Amino acid sequence: MKIVNLKTEYLTNPLGLDIVQPRLTWNVVGEDIKFQKAFEIIYKVNNEQEKNVKVETSSTHYDFALKFNSRDLVFWKIRVQNEKGIWSDYSEEQHFSIGLLNKTDWHANWIYG
């Protein structure tokens, strides 16, 4: 069982997303899986403590319930469980960042010559 094509909002490791609750998607391949029974996502926001989400479903996408803020940097990886209850290894770590969402987040000074 191997997890491939990991995406955030249909992009690989995107930077500057303007979506506060991005969607993660993936595919599972291998002869030892007929269908996915559950998944577990481990994620870390801005190098804080890791958190995890475990969901029993055959769906290969996840919409974050947590709303992210401007400049948040999120690292995530996933593992899946097959129909026999066997868990895969974790995927390679992925990441995404949230862009500047509000006018007050923008700070700049004029460049003088």
Side-chain angles (χ1 to χ4, degrees):
M1 224 175 339
K2 185 173 182 177
I3 305 164
V4 297
N5 299 326
L6 292 100
K7 307 278 185 185
T8 305
E9 286 301 319
Y10 309 103
L11 300 167
T12 303
N13 296 325
L15 301 176
L17 290 174
D18 61 351
I19 297 168
V20 295
Q21 291 177 287
R23 172 181 283 203
L24 307 179
T25 58
W26 60 91
N27 297 110
V28 184
V29 296
E31 293 179 15
D32 52 348
I33 185 166
K34 290 182 184 171
F35 65 89
Q36 172 187 301
K37 182 178 166 184
F39 65 82
E40 180 182 28
I41 296 172
I42 293 183
Y43 67 96
K44 184 169 36 171
V45 181
N46 299 325
N47 288 321
E48 293 176 0
Q49 183 177 350
E50 284 185 343
K51 298 176 183 173
N52 73 327
V53 175
K54 202 180 262 190
V55 181
E56 245 185 78
T57 182
S58 61
S59 178
T60 58
H61 76 271
Y62 176 71
D63 296 328
F64 269 101
L66 172 69
K67 288 186 179 180
F68 295 104
N69 299 308
S70 293
R71 297 184 182 94
D72 278 349
L73 177 60
V74 181
F75 290 90
W76 65 281
K77 59 186 174 182
I78 184 170
R79 69 179 183 155
V80 299
Q81 185 181 48
N82 71 9
E83 71 282 358
K84 296 175 186 172
I86 299 169
W87 286 95
S88 70
D89 291 334
Y90 281 100
S91 67
E92 291 186 24
E93 191 171 71
Q94 304 293 304
H95 65 272
F96 63 89
S97 70
I98 304 297
L100 301 177
L101 302 172
N102 306 304
K103 285 184 180 182
T104 56
D105 295 332
W106 290 87
H107 303 283
N109 293 315
W110 285 100
I111 299 173
Y112 296 96

